Amino acid sequence: MTSTGIRPPVDRHHPQAGELRARPRLHAPAPGWSISADVVVVGSGVAGLTAALRCEAAGLTTVVVTKARLDDGSTRWAQGGIAAALGEGDTPEQHLEDTLVAGAGLCDEEAVRILVTEGPDAVRRLISTGAHFDTDDEGGIELTREGGHHRRRIAHAGGDATGAEISRALVEAVRARGLRTVENALVLDLLTDAEGRTAGVTLHVMGEGQHDGVGAVHAPAVVLATGGMGQVFSATTNPSVSTGDGVALALRAGAEVSDLEFVQFHPTVLFLGADAEGQQPLVSEAVRGEGAHLVDGDGVRFMVGQHELAELAPRDIVAKGITRRMQEQDAEHMFLDARHFGAEMWEHRFPTILAACRANGIDPVTEPVPVAPAAHYASGGVRTDARAVRPCPACTRAARSPAPACTAPTASPPTPCSKASSTPSASPPTSRRSGPEAASPRASPHGSRTPRRPATRCWPRSPGSPSSGS
């Protein structure tokens, strides 16, 4: 029986299923329609769409369900880029070292090694899917720096619109290949068979689409790629859809979650006033990577001397440094000073951030930008093994996501998932105190740290998921 009191039909996808059921948690009308598939992917960010494309390429009938439109998640808000050892002289070992240092002893080294080793190929797969990264005069991928990295290894697109470009490419690929999608659909509960094996999900379509009302997708494998939970906080970089639905779904299904307390606060979010709530404009870490300085109201660079990398220390250290200075001076925010960039660099390298600042009455070309930390990336989530498989009674057949997720580490891996996260959010975060700024896997020094107990950010690890940054 489902939580809505009906018995969904048994089909070829569950030859041993018998009676399908969902643990009674949410009250909803009985499903009025149903779809059958081999895999149902919940979420349409970089992690979910990549997983769906890889499943489809493997010959599996795949359905993507998402709470809003395909491109309405955290991925398109990612700015800074994706971290991977792509530069001349750079190696996965160097990326590994930076990430472990940023993780301050909290990393799962196996997960970090997977991330940094498979990251470069994951970026190349995004390019083959149609994503256009910024290039230098010789046609190579242009790289920048972000927090915790000792080298330039952040690939970006559109200057500071990495997530938007990756989202565009993946959405176009999903539509071009004819994958079935259900938009404006809130997933309600996980369906299981009589033996407790995954058998699909129930969902409620709340907007325009081919389906309406409560329905069900029957599938023996469910991929959770639902992003973060920034909207739990009063100020966040996450969009309105980031409300932790995937974690709640897993809990109702009996899964174990871990490290939910590790929520990364991005250091530099545009300060819109003490009463501002909801999604706030991000000011990418890449701005500091290109030479911007954090200063207080007196123009003093207060991060100098606090860490060898100063403004490019891991995110948790910078966020704490800003908060400490605010408390010392009884101030509501600090400033990011990049006036020395000049108008041309702002317009070419950071057009998205420039537009957001000017829309709020601030011109970074001529004045410092007021910034303060805000909730950014959820490092915890459904507890899994290194393959992102959750061996629990209701999730014994959780799918292994064969795709990259943008999760950037902020020590202190994303969306480009820089939120990706988003981010976070994808491969298990390589750190327990961080979060992506753009797309969603993040596990590197500017993002998260992989917990000693492998955990995913609501989505399964996609082999070759690079860490993303912003």
Side-chain angles (χ1 to χ4, degrees):
M1 299 287 287
T2 70
S3 60
T4 54
I6 70 155
R7 281 196 182 92
V10 177
D11 62 24
R12 64 184 179 84
H13 294 292
H14 334 100
Q16 306 172 17
E19 181 181 276
L20 299 184
R21 59 195 176 189
R23 296 179 175 231
R25 291 292 187 277
L26 296 183
H27 296 288
W33 53 271
S34 66
I35 300 172
S36 292
D38 296 311
V39 181
V40 55
V41 177
V42 184
S44 61
V46 61
L49 294 187
T50 305
L53 288 167
R54 299 286 296 279
C55 288
E56 186 269 345
L60 300 173
T61 303
T62 304
V63 174
V64 177
V65 300
T66 188
K67 188 162 63 172
R69 306 295 294 177
L70 283 183
D71 62 351
D72 278 345
S74 293
T75 293
R76 71 185 179 94
W77 296 100
Q79 294 176 352
I82 302 179
L86 296 165
E88 183 177 355
D90 198 5
T91 66
E93 283 299 320
Q94 293 177 54
H95 193 178
L96 174 74
E97 181 179 358
D98 280 349
T99 304
L100 294 179
V101 169
L106 292 172
C107 291
D108 179 325
E109 187 168 340
E110 178 190 5
V112 178
R113 191 171 294 280
I114 289 170
L115 179 110
V116 300
T117 301
E118 299 182 355
D121 282 342
V123 173
R124 295 183 186 106
R125 281 197 296 273
L126 287 173
I127 293 172
S128 67
T129 302
H132 301 294
F133 287 87
D134 296 334
T135 56
D136 56 28
D137 294 338
E138 297 179 353
I141 296 177
E142 191 173 63
L143 303 173
T144 189
R145 283 185 66 191
E146 290 197 1
H149 294 279
H150 284 79
R151 302 182 61 104
R152 287 181 172 265
R153 63 167 64 100
I154 315 300
H156 49 85
D160 59 355
T162 313
E165 172 57 18
I166 290 178
S167 180
R168 178 204 62 77
L170 291 173
V171 169
E172 287 187 6
V174 163
R175 288 173 174 160
R177 297 179 192 179
L179 269 72
R180 189 162 191 173
T181 61
V182 183
E183 298 178 289
N184 301 307
L186 175 66
V187 172
L188 302 175
D189 280 305
L190 183 74
L191 288 169
T192 60
D193 65 19
E195 285 74 44
R197 293 174 299 194
T198 300
V201 296
T202 56
L203 61 158
H204 185 187
V205 177
M206 302 171 291
E208 297 180 359
Q210 295 180 335
H211 301 284
D212 187 28
V214 176
V217 179
H218 302 302
V222 175
V223 177
L224 292 182
T226 54
M229 57 189 76
Q231 289 292 325
V232 169
F233 297 85
S234 61
T236 178
T237 59
N238 294 189
S240 60
V241 294
S242 296
T243 52
D245 302 339
V247 171
L249 171 71
L251 283 170
R252 289 194 299 274
E256 181 180 354
V257 300
S258 64
D259 304 311
L260 296 186
E261 71 274 26
F262 286 95
V263 175
Q264 175 201 81
F265 277 62
H266 197 285
T268 54
V269 176
L270 187 62
F271 182 75
L272 301 180
D275 297 328
E277 296 183 348
Q279 185 178 13
Q280 312 290 304
L282 181 66
V283 181
S284 175
E285 195 164 72
V287 178
R288 283 174 279 139
E290 295 293 350
H293 302 146
L294 279 169
V295 299
D296 60 20
D298 297 322
V300 177
R301 288 182 63 190
F302 57 89
M303 285 304 300
V304 174
Q306 293 197 38
H307 190 278
E308 61 164 334
L309 296 176
E311 286 92 350
L312 284 179
R315 286 184 190 165
D316 62 325
I317 294 175
V318 178
K320 290 174 184 175
I322 291 175
T323 301
R324 187 180 306 115
R325 195 67 156 196
M326 288 165 56
Q327 292 174 338
E328 292 171 352
Q329 299 189 344
D330 193 25
E332 293 183 321
H333 60 80
M334 291 288 108
F335 294 93
L336 188 64
D337 192 352
R339 290 175 290 179
H340 54 286
F341 283 6
E344 183 177 354
M345 181 173 175
W346 269 108
E347 292 167 0
H348 172 73
R349 183 67 181 83
F350 300 109
T352 305
I353 299 170
L354 177 64
C357 287
R358 286 178 169 171
N360 286 282
I362 301 158
D363 190 348
V365 175
T366 60
E367 59 186 314
V369 178
V371 294
H376 185 59
Y377 181 70
S379 298
V382 182
R383 188 175 178 185
T384 73
D385 61 19
R387 297 180 304 135
V389 173
R390 172 63 233 169
C392 70
C395 306
T396 51
R397 299 190 63 180
R400 176 182 179 180
S401 166
C406 267
T407 158
T410 62
S412 176
T415 205
C417 282
S418 166
K419 190 182 220 160
S421 0
S422 141
T423 97
S425 73
S427 47
T430 51
S431 139
R432 290 172 72 174
R433 51 167 178 172
S434 85
E437 197 178 89
S440 273
R442 295 182 176 260
S444 86
H446 52 281
S448 48
R449 317 177 193 172
T450 300
R452 294 180 184 281
R453 301 168 294 166
T456 62
R457 182 193 170 191
C458 304
W459 52 54
R461 182 183 86 76
S462 24
S465 230
S467 66
S468 81
S470 301

